[in-house]
Amino acid sequence: MYSDGEDRPVLLNPGPAGTSDRVKNALLRGDLCHREPEFTELLNRLRTALPRALEFPETYESVLVTGSGTAAMEMAVTGSVRSGQEILVLSNGVYGERLLAIARAHGITAHEVAPDGDQLERWTTPIDPARVDSALATYPEVDAVVCVHHETTTGLLNPIREIGEIVARHRALFVIDAISSTGNEELNLADAGIDILCGTANKGLHGLPGISFLLCGPAALTRIAEAPARGLYNNAATHLAGQRRGDVPFTPAIQICYALDEALAEYTERGGRSARVALYRDRAALVRAGFDRLGLKILVDPPHRANSVSTLRLPDRVTYPRLHDELAKRGYIIYAGQGGLAAGHFRICTFGEIPFDRLEALESALGAALLAARD
C-alpha cells in the first residue's frame, strides 16, 4: 500500500484524482447503516458544508447522489424541465455532447448551441453568449439552459457569468456542469447566476470518486417539484425530499461520504476556495512553463484555459501509448485526448493531492519520456 511519499504514482489524468492519506483513511471509520441517526448527522453535515465551502448563499440546498458526476448531470437535466417544455444545451466538447444525449434519452426536446467549424474548432472555441441569446429568442419553450463550465475534453472554460445574465433575462433555469471546476477555478461560481450546479466529491474537492451532488437555488428547488419523474433512481425530487428528512431513498456509498467529510474539512482548514484556487493556479503555471521549454503546444488559447487541464499536441514520431508507458515508468500517469483529438493529442491534469516536488520533477521526466517514446 502506498503512503503519501515518493513511491506513489502521480495521477495526471482528469479523474479520479489523487487523495490524501487522511481522506483515504476515512474509509476505515467503520460500517454504518444508513437508517441510523449517525448517518443522518453525516448527511446533514455534508449538505450544509458543500454550499458553505463553495461560498453559495444559505438559500441553496445540496442534494447528494451516489454515483459519478454523470449521475448528477442526469439528475439536473431531468429535474429542470417541466412537462412539454424544452432544453437548450450549450456544447463544445464531449461533456456538452453528453448533456445533449441525456436530454434526448429521456425524451426531452433539446436544442443545441455550438461553435462553428470542424471538431477541433468547435472544441477549442468558447460558447458565444450572443448565440445563446438568439437561440432563446427562437425557442420560447426552453425551460432550462445547460452548459459545461470547464470542458475537460480540452481544458476550455466557457463564459458562464455572461451566459447566466442572458439566461436570467429569458427567465430560464441555468444549469451548470461544474464537475471539474468546483472549488478550483478563478470564477466564484456563486456569482454566475447558477440555479443548479453539478459537482463531484473528487477532482477539485479532493474527495474520493463515487459521490456527486447538486447545489440548487430557490428557483431550482421549485422546478424540481414541478418536473415530471423521468426515472426512479435519479429523480431529484425523491432525493431532495428524503434528504430534507435526513434520509436517503436508496443505499448510499457511506464510506465515500466519510471521505468527503474529511476532504471538506481539509479544504476549509487549508484556506477554502481562495487557497485552493491559488494552489491550482500555481500548479498550472509551473507545469505549463515546463511545456513551453519542451516545445509542447497547448491546444487552448491562454484566455480560455482552465487551471487544471492542459491538452497538448503530440510531437512528431511520438504516439500516445508509447508516451503513456514511458511516463508511467517514471511515476506519472497521463491521459489520452478524446474523440478526434485522440490520435494527435494527450492531456496532463493537475487535480487532487500532488506533492509539489513531483510536479517540479515532471518537466525532466516528460522530456526523457518524449525522447524514449520516439520511434
Side-chain angles (χ1 to χ4, degrees):
M1 181 177 178
Y2 292 108
S3 70
D4 273 340
E6 287 289 323
D7 292 333
R8 184 191 299 278
V10 175
L11 299 183
L12 299 178
N13 51 271
T19 55
S20 69
D21 280 349
R22 174 178 173 180
V23 167
K24 284 186 280 290
N25 288 338
L27 299 176
L28 304 178
R29 284 190 191 176
D31 300 323
L32 175 66
C33 176
H34 59 292
R35 303 304 180 196
E36 294 302 303
E38 292 86 352
F39 179 75
T40 297
E41 292 173 9
L42 174 62
L43 176 65
N44 291 340
R45 185 161 66 248
L46 292 174
R47 293 189 70 228
T48 300
L50 281 165
R52 183 177 297 160
L54 299 174
E55 300 177 0
F56 274 74
E58 292 182 358
T59 52
Y60 279 74
E61 281 192 63
S62 54
V63 180
L64 269 68
V65 190
T66 291
S68 70
T70 301
M73 292 163 62
E74 186 161 33
M75 184 178 286
V77 167
T78 58
S80 63
V81 182
R82 290 168 291 191
S83 182
Q85 300 296 100
E86 301 171 355
I87 194 167
L88 181 67
V89 178
L90 316 183
S91 175
N92 53 354
V94 165
Y95 298 96
E97 292 175 358
R98 182 174 296 179
L99 289 163
L100 190 64
I102 288 169
R104 289 175 174 166
H106 288 276
I108 300 170
T109 299
H111 307 284
E112 182 182 15
V113 168
D116 296 324
D118 60 19
Q119 186 179 77
L120 179 62
E121 292 172 305
R122 293 196 310 274
W123 285 6
T124 55
T125 302
I127 298 294
D128 181 356
R131 297 185 70 168
V132 179
D133 196 15
S134 176
L136 287 170
T138 302
Y139 304 113
E141 302 304 311
V142 164
D143 229 10
V145 177
V146 59
C147 180
V148 178
H149 180 211
H150 169 210
E151 255 295 355
T152 50
T153 305
T154 55
L156 176 75
L157 290 174
N158 279 312
I160 59 168
R161 177 181 283 148
E162 294 81 356
I163 294 169
E165 292 172 356
I166 290 165
V167 174
R169 287 206 306 271
H170 287 270
R171 300 184 183 280
L173 216 63
F174 194 30
V175 180
I176 291 296
D177 169 354
I179 288 162
S180 58
S181 62
T182 303
N184 55 282
E185 287 297 337
E186 306 286 344
L187 176 64
N188 186 341
L189 295 169
D191 297 332
I194 298 170
D195 293 300
I196 301 180
L197 176 145
C198 306
T200 180
N202 197 225
K203 300 198 181 185
L205 291 180
H206 300 192
L208 285 164
I211 289 288
S212 57
F213 59 88
L214 307 182
L215 293 188
C216 304
L221 295 169
T222 299
R223 178 66 55 81
I224 285 169
E226 297 170 338
R230 294 184 168 96
L232 178 66
Y233 186 85
N234 254 12
N235 186 298
T238 302
H239 282 263
L240 177 61
Q243 290 179 33
R244 281 174 166 173
R245 298 190 303 266
D247 197 1
V248 286
F250 308 103
T251 304
I254 294 171
Q255 281 73 18
I256 306 300
C257 290
Y258 283 152
L260 177 57
D261 194 31
E262 291 296 342
L264 289 170
E266 277 190 339
Y267 183 86
T268 301
E269 291 165 12
R270 294 177 180 180
R273 196 187 73 85
S274 61
R276 186 62 52 90
V277 169
L279 171 66
Y280 273 66
R281 186 172 57 236
D282 290 347
R283 287 176 175 180
L286 172 65
V287 299
R288 287 170 181 168
F291 301 155
D292 287 344
R293 287 188 288 268
L294 291 169
L296 294 170
K297 180 175 174 53
I298 299 174
L299 188 61
V300 173
D301 291 336
H304 311 305
R305 291 176 188 167
N307 277 338
S308 55
V309 176
S310 298
T311 298
L312 303 154
R313 297 187 191 278
L314 284 163
D316 292 340
R317 298 168 44 217
V318 175
T319 65
Y320 171 74
R322 286 286 303 277
L323 180 59
H324 172 276
D325 291 350
E326 290 296 336
L327 264 175
K329 293 176 188 176
R330 293 161 174 82
Y332 298 92
I333 305 300
I334 59 171
Y335 214 65
Q338 289 183 288
L341 304 182
H345 298 82
F346 67 103
R347 286 180 287 174
I348 288 183
C349 314
T350 49
F351 287 113
E353 293 291 310
I354 307 174
F356 210 76
D357 64 319
R358 300 295 298 278
L359 285 181
E360 290 174 322
L362 173 63
E363 180 182 348
S364 175
L366 181 55
L370 287 165
L371 286 173
R374 283 197 171 89
D375 57 24

